[in-house]
Amino acid sequence: MAAREAPFLLLLFLLAALLAVEADARRQKDGEGACGEGWDCSGRGGRLCCNGTISDYFKAEHFEELFPKRNDSLAHAAGFWDYRAFITAAALFEPRGFGTTGGREMGVKEVAAFLGHIGAKTSCGHLDSDGDSLAWGLCYNHEMSPGQSYCDNSNELYRCVEGVEYYGRGALPVYWNYNYGIVGKGIKQDLLSHPELLEQNATLAFEAAIWRWMTPMKRRQPSAHDVFVGNWKPTKKDTLSKRYPGFGATMNILYGDFICGHGSTDSMNVIISHYQHYLDLMEVGHEHSGDNLDCGDQVVFNPSSKSPYS
């Protein structure tokens, strides 16, 4: 009996192997194969996969240099944020190009840009008396004195949950019920019912922030990642609106008219200062921060009265 079954089993094995080879060929043709050698994202991995990881060039000691005051006795989230949480969250987005697009230097610059936003939005640099206000990133993990519950029940898709408040939480603070709903759907967490997860779990807080960085707000619009690494080509409407690739456009996408379109303001310049400071600490240098650094004269992509990241 076993002897008669052997040819049949061998045939099944060969068929399975052939199907696997064909599937791998299709993935590589579609740009989803294994990564090529080095940091060349145009290799076998195609657009979805770039070789190397953020931890290849961004180590725990770099994280400590960027955020040296986060565990200070005056910090409001002491003991919460750490390198492991960031790297764990970042690894989920590296196959999509976060920190792994365009070569090693661009990877470093993108991490500095992303963390520049994080540092500025979670800073308590106003507490500093030594002139080192840029050292206080990741001081907070939630809004300290919410002036409202940020509940807008006019949004039927993401209605407020009774008893839940939607004040700012996380690494790139999220506000309003509908934004918690959108971000929660993106990272597969019920943030509408449990927004507190973003102030209880540092990995989730970083994951939500990176998801926002990598995801366009609307169809046919770029993400902050796209405008920073050069994946986005402005249309004629964009150029007339003074929107060009660079760090400035990341602020336009993340904050809209809360930051952009008002000329040179302190709220805009402090974000730029964090980005450039981190470039210096990561040994790229602020002189390589790129063109189109600010958004003071840009027309915003999405004018609104509310922003997820004010």
Side-chain angles (χ1 to χ4, degrees), residues 69-82:
K69 300 282 191 179
R70 74 185 192 284
N71 291 325
D72 188 271
S73 60
L74 295 177
H76 296 283
F80 182 74
W81 304 104
D82 61 32

Side-chain angles (χ1 to χ4, degrees), residues 267-279:
S267 57
M268 179 186 72
N269 290 330
V270 73
I271 301 171
I272 297 171
S273 294
H274 277 80
Y275 165 48
Q276 293 187 312
H277 178 59
Y278 293 171
L279 283 178

Side-chain angles (χ1 to χ4, degrees), residues 245-256:
F247 186 77
T250 69
M251 292 187 284
N252 190 325
I253 290 167
L254 295 177
Y255 315 118

Side-chain angles (χ1 to χ4, degrees), residues 26-39:
R26 284 196 301 272
R27 284 195 298 271
Q28 292 195 29
K29 182 180 179 181
D30 294 336
E32 297 180 11
C35 292
E37 295 297 322
W39 279 82

